[in-house]
């Protein structure tokens, strides 16, 4: 049936992403006088460092690493039923991914290319339905705690955006960060 084919394709997809981290030179110290809140140190109060707004958004909110839960999933223009979508979880750490689709596991590695917009992912399946396969994808963070990933499960090309149609056959998933 059509639903069974969609589940099969989802099992073949295997999740993905990457390992991005913030380099030491990107992190700013909050110990300088310019970064300290202007609070008098009298009567037992002390000055409190004020973080830079860019630091607040950098970690952990705009890193692909962590645990993610699918909110929506669309394959070739067809949305997955909510009960299927809710069973998709993705865990990314140290350049490796582990995706679970209704209890079926798939694992592999992820390479991130931040030199383009949107950011590109090259996913290599090592265990499960995608063992030996390459999947190309792009991702971004449209809002705090959310991640969009558009996958070309054929490994032919990096998607140019975030859309799944019957014509392009892409797999498009919106994830939320797990609590």
């Amino acid at each position: 049936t059509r639903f069974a084919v969609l589940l099969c394709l989802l099992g073949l997809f295997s999740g993905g992403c990457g390992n991005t981290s913030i380099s030491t030179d990107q992190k700013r110290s909050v110990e300088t006088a310019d970064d300290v809140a202007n609070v008098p140190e009298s009567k037992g109060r002390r000055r409190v460092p004020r973080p830079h707004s860019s630091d607040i958004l950098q970690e952990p909110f705009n890193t692909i690493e962590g645990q993610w839960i699918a909110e929506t999933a669309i394959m070739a223009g067809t949305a997955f039923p909510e009960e299927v979508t809710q069973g998709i979880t993705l865990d990314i750490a140290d350049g490796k991914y582990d995706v679970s689709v209704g209890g079926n596991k798939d694992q592999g590695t992820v390479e991130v290319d931040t030199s383009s917009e949107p950011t590109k992912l090259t996913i290599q399946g090592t265990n499960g339905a995608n063992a030996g396969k390459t999947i190309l994808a792009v991702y971004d963070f449209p809002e705090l705690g959310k991640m969009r990933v558009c996958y070309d499960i054929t490994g032919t090309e990096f998607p140019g955006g975030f859309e799944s149609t019957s014509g392009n056959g892409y797999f498009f998933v919106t994830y939320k960060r797990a609590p």
Side-chain angles (χ1 to χ4, degrees), residues 105-168:
K105 297 257 184 195
D106 199 83
Q107 300 170 319
T109 62
V110 186
E111 185 178 315
V112 179
D113 176 2
T114 59
S115 67
S116 66
E117 282 289 325
T119 303
K120 295 178 181 176
L121 302 171
T122 303
I123 302 160
Q124 301 288 329
T126 58
N127 296 307
N130 286 310
K133 295 180 183 177
T134 299
I135 298 168
L136 303 177
V138 294
Y139 79 95
D140 74 356
F141 300 100
E143 61 184 86
L144 192 62
K146 305 271 183 168
M147 177 173 67
R148 300 186 304 174
V149 184
C150 192
Y151 305 88
D152 177 0
I153 62 171
T154 68
T156 306
E157 64 184 353
F158 289 99
F162 300 94
E163 183 178 27
S164 174
T165 67
S166 60
N168 65 25

Side-chain angles (χ1 to χ4, degrees), residues 11-68:
L12 293 175
F13 139 70
S14 86
C17 294
N19 178 7
T20 59
S21 60
I22 306 303
S23 66
T24 304
D25 62 337
Q26 290 176 306
K27 293 183 180 180
R28 296 185 181 123
S29 170
V30 294
E31 300 298 320
T32 65
D34 291 339
D35 293 332
V36 177
N38 190 14
V39 177
E41 291 189 24
S42 62
K43 298 184 182 181
R45 290 186 272 176
R46 59 188 183 121
R47 297 189 308 176
V48 179
R50 177 178 55 219
H52 292 277
S53 61
S54 61
D55 290 339
I56 292 170
L57 294 177
Q58 286 180 351
E59 285 191 46
F61 299 110
N62 77 343
T63 179
I64 198 165
E65 286 204 2
Q67 295 178 333
W68 299 92

